[in-house]
Amino acid sequence: MLETLEECRRVLIASNSRESAELLSIVILDVRMKLKGIDDADLKALCDEMLRNAASEPSSPSKQAQVQPRRPLLRVVK
């Protein structure tokens, strides 16, 4: 099932359907989490830790100029 979902995502990306591909990525993540026994609290803890690490890492000025900030597509809430 995951292989089929991944292939569908590749087709969507190739056809320039980025938003649909991102939504399918969320479905893929959900399926993987269920298969691995990862619950919402674990995912939220991981996201919180990643945000803390990203906030504490200093960025070089050239890197800041290259990276455009993106609005988060989804926010994990419980």
Side-chain angles (χ1 to χ4, degrees):
M1 178 173 51
L2 281 172
E3 287 179 27
T4 302
L5 291 171
E6 292 283 357
E7 178 60 28
C8 290
R9 182 173 62 177
R10 282 189 289 277
V11 169
L12 287 169
I13 290 169
S15 65
N16 239 3
S17 298
R18 183 174 172 219
E19 290 179 358
S20 297
E22 288 175 349
L23 288 172
L24 191 52
S25 293
I26 295 165
V27 172
I28 293 168
L29 174 62
D30 185 59
V31 171
R32 286 185 175 157
M33 286 174 56
K34 286 181 176 133
L35 289 173
K36 300 291 184 179
I38 299 169
D39 63 14
D40 292 340
D42 292 333
L43 179 61
K44 182 173 182 346
L46 173 64
C47 292
D48 290 344
E49 184 63 28
M50 290 173 67
L51 287 172
R52 272 193 294 276
N53 287 341
S56 66
E57 290 178 6
S59 296
S60 66
S62 63
K63 186 177 180 181
Q64 288 176 342
Q66 293 173 350
V67 177
Q68 295 286 333
R70 283 182 56 191
R71 180 180 63 84
L73 297 175
L74 292 177
R75 197 169 121 203
V76 178
V77 293
K78 185 108 179 168

